[in-house]
Amino acid sequence: MPNPYAEIFRAPGAKGFASAGFVARMPMAMAPIGIVAMLSQTHGEFWLAGAVSATYALANALFAPQISRVVDRLGQSRVLIPTTLIAVAAFIVLMLAAYQDWPIWTLFVAALAAALMPSFPAMIRARWSELFRDRPELNTAFAFESSADELVYIAGASLSVGLAVALFPEAGLLASTLFLALGGLAFIAQRRTEPRPSGAVGGGGQSAIRQRPVQIITLALIFVGAIFATAEVSAVAITEKLGEPGAASLVIGVYAVGSFVVGLIVGALNLRMALEKQLAIALTVIAVTAWPLLFVDSVPMLALAVFASGVAISPTFITAFGLIERRVPAAMLTEGITWVMTGIGIGMALGSFVTGWVVDTYGASHGFVVSVVAGALALLTVLLGQRTLAGRGSHVPAAAEPQPAE
């Protein structure tokens, strides 16, 4: 049986843009925690570190879809070159401001400018779509990208904090900035796999977020992102309560590794079930497996429950991006993908905040209540949107995806 992952990388240019894109996306995990690690050491104030990091993360969530919208119209290279260079320069200014103890406002201004960093995961998926549009290989490519995102989150945050602690406060953010500069420029240099620009804003000037499929999937993945963040915060709180705080990193790693492995398996399968049904099934698994988390009372039980709750995360992302590719006009594709990525990021930010409040107010064992509620809301969102996600009036050719009988 041929390896489906080997097949997708036989496409001309695929190895190049995928490897460069993997490096370029490292800041998505490294930069926010790198800012916290840097400023908490240089200024000794966690509120300031958190505020600057949140400023960067929320601004990037707002800016990235707008940048991707312009990318759809003008092309990747014309937009990514200036935005990447601005982001690199801004990160350098942020590190200098921290090192030289410049006024506090310079930290926030630099963080806002750094937030112009484009969404490289969206750019990479747009290139895969250009190569394999309406072909089964696209599902495998999206599975690879979702697993790569998981790997970045597993390694990136740990690397950023580890460097800042072991070397000097700015080391984690410096490494992140180097990854962005080298990976980003290497990705931009590969012009032959760049998707064709539309030449005009798709949809008569409308944003992709006005498309109902984008709204449904983005909202659902806000809840999924909250589940992702809840697992991290609750794992730290519960292991500390059990007197084994060092086990938190192991538990979080088990959670991410489970999702990573299952994502690779799903990507190797050529499933014929309609994508909206696959998404509903994956979210059902997430919603159901959240419940055992409420009853864990030991680290081994926590690790097992967290592993089970994470197995459907990557399949959810894979089918969500597959639906975006099928249900959003090609002229809006990069922006549509970026909105979904933004939804995940917003969900993680909100999930961390809400879970932290629940843990502080009601105790560590109640943190996973957020996962239960978020899982139910994500499933409900997709179930209510099944008709829209099924592609009524979609641009998808009939042969591209089997349609279920009503």
Side-chain angles (χ1 to χ4, degrees), residues 329-347:
M332 296 180 173
L333 179 60
T334 308
E335 185 193 354
I337 293 173
T338 305
W339 275 113
V340 174
M341 295 294 302
T342 296
I344 298 170
I346 292 173

Side-chain angles (χ1 to χ4, degrees), residues 209-229:
I209 197 61
R210 296 176 67 91
Q211 299 282 311
R212 288 289 293 165
V214 178
Q215 294 172 358
I216 293 167
I217 294 172
T218 299
L219 179 59
L221 291 197
I222 287 176
F223 296 126
V224 174
I227 295 170
F228 202 78

Side-chain angles (χ1 to χ4, degrees), residues 141-393:
F142 280 177
F144 172 80
E145 292 304 321
S146 293
S147 296
D149 287 341
E150 294 276 1
L151 188 58
V152 165
Y153 277 116
I154 292 171
S158 298
L159 176 62
S160 188
V161 172
L163 289 172
V165 172
L167 300 179
F168 50 89
E170 300 83 7
L173 191 58
L174 176 60
S176 172
T177 304
L178 289 174
F179 283 138
L180 174 61
L182 298 176
L185 294 177
F187 180 84
I188 295 166
Q190 299 176 65
R191 300 290 298 275
R192 67 172 176 167
T193 54
E194 181 178 338
R196 294 182 296 269
S198 67
V201 178
Q206 291 185 351
S207 170
I209 197 61
R210 296 176 67 91
Q211 299 282 311
R212 288 289 293 165
V214 178
Q215 294 172 358
I216 293 167
I217 294 172
T218 299
L219 179 59
L221 291 197
I222 287 176
F223 296 126
V224 174
I227 295 170
F228 202 78
T230 299
E232 297 180 351
V233 175
S234 294
V236 171
I238 291 177
T239 53
E240 183 174 328
K241 175 187 174 183
L242 294 172
E244 300 182 56
S249 58
L250 173 63
V251 172
I252 294 171
V254 166
Y255 180 73
V257 168
S259 177
F260 173 78
V261 172
V262 174
L264 288 177
I265 294 172
V266 169
L269 303 175
N270 185 18
L271 301 177
R272 300 299 298 167
M273 181 185 295
L275 284 177
E276 69 276 3
K277 290 189 175 181
Q278 291 185 44
L279 182 59
I281 291 172
L283 288 174
T284 299
V285 173
I286 288 176
V288 170
T289 55
W291 283 93
L293 293 166
L294 299 176
F295 307 103
V296 297
D297 57 7
S298 68
V299 170
M301 284 183 62
L302 176 62
L304 181 60
V306 161
F307 176 85
S309 70
V311 295
I313 296 290
S314 273
T316 296
F317 291 166
I318 294 165
T319 52
F321 287 118
L323 281 165
I324 289 292
E325 191 276 332
R326 283 172 167 80
R327 306 303 179 226
V328 175
M332 296 180 173
L333 179 60
T334 308
E335 185 193 354
I337 293 173
T338 305
W339 275 113
V340 174
M341 295 294 302
T342 296
I344 298 170
I346 292 173
M348 291 182 69
L350 292 176
S352 295
F353 173 77
V354 174
T355 305
W357 177 82
V358 170
V359 167
D360 286 340
T361 305
Y362 299 102
S365 59
H366 292 82
F368 283 118
V369 170
V370 179
S371 291
V372 172
V373 174
L377 290 174
L379 177 58
L380 180 62
T381 300
V382 167
L383 291 178
L384 292 176
Q386 283 289 289
R387 285 184 60 84
T388 299
L389 297 179
R392 304 296 187 261

Side-chain angles (χ1 to χ4, degrees), residues 15-96:
K15 291 179 181 177
F17 77 72
S19 56
F22 182 86
V23 175
R25 85 176 107 198
M26 287 295 288
M28 120 180 134
M30 294 183 68
I33 192 65
I35 293 172
V36 172
M38 176 180 72
L39 294 179
S40 63
Q41 292 182 77
T42 59
H43 287 67
E45 296 175 304
F46 279 94
W47 74 265
L48 176 63
V52 175
S53 181
T55 298
Y56 161 77
L58 293 176
N60 184 250
L62 293 174
F63 294 161
Q66 311 313 317
I67 292 170
S68 293
R69 187 180 183 191
V70 180
V71 165
D72 282 328
R73 181 163 58 94
L74 300 180
Q76 290 189 355
S77 58
R78 289 181 62 184
V79 180
L80 297 187
I81 291 174
T83 52
T84 300
L85 291 177
I86 290 171
V88 168
F91 279 127
I92 292 173
V93 170
L94 180 57
M95 287 183 282
L96 286 173

Side-chain angles (χ1 to χ4, degrees), residues 97-145:
Y99 181 73
Q100 299 285 350
D101 198 22
W102 290 354
I104 296 299
W105 64 265
T106 60
L107 300 173
F108 289 94
V109 171
L112 279 173
L116 287 172
M117 184 181 75
S119 175
F120 279 98
M123 306 301 157
I124 301 166
R125 286 175 169 89
R127 294 201 181 200
W128 284 120
S129 296
E130 187 78 1
L131 286 176
F132 298 126
R133 192 177 307 279
D134 297 332
R135 291 169 55 184
E137 290 93 335
L138 186 59
N139 182 69
T140 303
F142 280 177
F144 172 80
E145 292 304 321

